[in-house]
Amino acid sequence: MKVTNCPYCNSKTLYILKDNYRKCKDCNKKFSLKKLQLDINIIEAFCEDISALQVSNDFQINYRTVSNRYDIFRRLIANYLEDIYHTSIQDSTSYEEFYYFNEKQLQKRHKSLYDAINIIGFYCNNRVYTLLMPSLPKLPLQEPDENFERYLKWHKLQSQNSYTTPLKDFWRFLRENLKKYKGITKDNFFFYLKECEFKYNFSKPICKALLKDIYFK
């Protein structure tokens, strides 16, 4: 692997250390070419939607190493998108509420909105932005949500009668992409949501370039 610029500050003032590491004269950081190439390979695999297990097998590295790196990427992406959100949302933004149920919940005959993950999506500047809302409060000994079937029928009717919008397209994208993950906890759902938002808003080449820039910052 040939490197002429520092991956952290883009400086060209690199020199070789005795252990074959590279060190940047400007930012004073040192790095291994082998580790740098591995990081780049994992970033590109992540943006190509290749599973951590498959990457582990392809590059003959520990699964936990890849899985931990994927978790780091999701957190970096979440911070990046949150910064964009606060500088992009305008008064003219369209928005829509969405209740997410996982595949196991969808198979239940009786569902409750109190078990759903409540998301609000915004569409502005040709991009989708999402906010994770608090769960609906449920009082002790409260009866099952009798209005839920009515909500489902209304939502189905609205979906059938409405044209395709970026937000509706994103909800489909979100549901399809989260199917491959087994057992996402509510504590981690936010980071998977932001991963989908990132991959929906940007093409794969742009995702790779942005993530490399964020990761090596």
Side-chain angles (χ1 to χ4, degrees):
M1 180 183 185
K2 185 177 181 181
V3 176
T4 57
N5 294 62
C6 173
Y8 300 100
C9 70
N10 206 36
S11 170
K12 292 186 177 181
T13 55
L14 299 177
Y15 54 94
I16 303 174
L17 302 177
K18 287 184 178 180
D19 55 6
N20 207 32
Y21 273 58
R22 300 307 191 263
K23 187 171 183 178
C24 177
K25 186 178 180 181
D26 289 336
C27 70
N28 210 34
K29 289 185 178 180
K30 67 176 185 177
F31 56 92
S32 159
L33 293 183
K34 184 177 180 180
K35 181 180 179 300
L36 176 63
Q37 183 62 66
L38 179 62
D39 285 339
I40 290 173
N41 290 340
I42 297 176
I43 285 173
E44 293 185 348
F46 175 84
C47 294
E48 289 287 347
D49 289 323
I50 300 174
S51 71
L53 180 59
Q54 186 62 52
V55 174
S56 171
N57 292 333
D58 289 346
F59 294 103
Q60 295 296 298
I61 52 179
N62 186 274
Y63 167 78
R64 183 53 56 188
T65 298
V66 183
S67 180
N68 288 342
R69 201 78 100 254
Y70 274 26
D71 288 339
I72 291 171
F73 297 161
R74 293 185 182 105
R75 282 165 171 73
L76 290 172
I77 285 170
N79 291 333
Y80 173 77
L81 293 177
E82 288 290 281
D83 289 341
I84 293 179
Y85 166 78
H86 290 298
T87 59
S88 299
I89 295 300
Q90 303 170 354
D91 292 339
S92 59
T93 301
S94 62
Y95 65 92
E96 184 174 297
E97 191 173 15
F98 180 73
Y99 293 99
Y100 173 81
F101 291 92
N102 61 37
E103 292 303 302
K104 187 176 180 180
Q105 290 171 323
L106 286 174
Q107 293 172 8
K108 291 182 179 180
R109 184 171 182 178
H110 298 290
K111 307 175 190 65
S112 171
L113 286 178
Y114 300 104
D115 297 326
I117 294 177
N118 190 8
I119 308 167
I120 291 184
F122 300 89
Y123 184 69
C124 180
N125 299 327
N126 296 318
R127 289 179 187 167
V128 167
Y129 304 88
T130 61
L131 283 180
L132 196 58
M133 304 301 291
S135 300
L136 295 177
K138 186 175 182 180
L139 299 175
L141 304 178
Q142 186 170 342
E143 292 297 322
D145 188 358
E146 296 178 356
N147 294 319
F148 184 67
E149 289 301 324
R150 286 198 293 272
Y151 165 79
L152 284 181
K153 291 177 182 178
W154 173 85
H155 189 269
K156 184 177 181 181
L157 182 63
Q158 289 293 105
S159 298
Q160 288 173 345
N161 293 340
S162 62
Y163 54 86
T164 301
T165 66
L167 283 171
K168 285 183 171 55
D169 187 48
F170 174 72
W171 302 135
R172 286 191 290 269
F173 178 86
L174 176 69
R175 189 173 295 286
E176 287 302 313
N177 276 269
L178 293 186
K179 281 182 181 178
K180 62 190 175 186
Y181 299 115
K182 307 298 182 183
I184 301 175
T185 65
K186 284 193 174 182
D187 289 340
N188 288 326
F189 184 86
F190 171 77
F191 299 106
Y192 287 85
L193 170 65
K194 288 300 173 180
E195 175 189 348
C196 289
E197 180 183 326
F198 183 72
K199 292 178 177 178
Y200 181 84
N201 283 330
F202 304 106
S203 65
K204 286 182 179 179
I206 294 177
C207 281
K208 293 174 185 178
L210 284 174
L211 188 50
K212 288 173 188 176
D213 184 58
I214 299 167
Y215 182 72
F216 292 115
K217 204 169 191 178

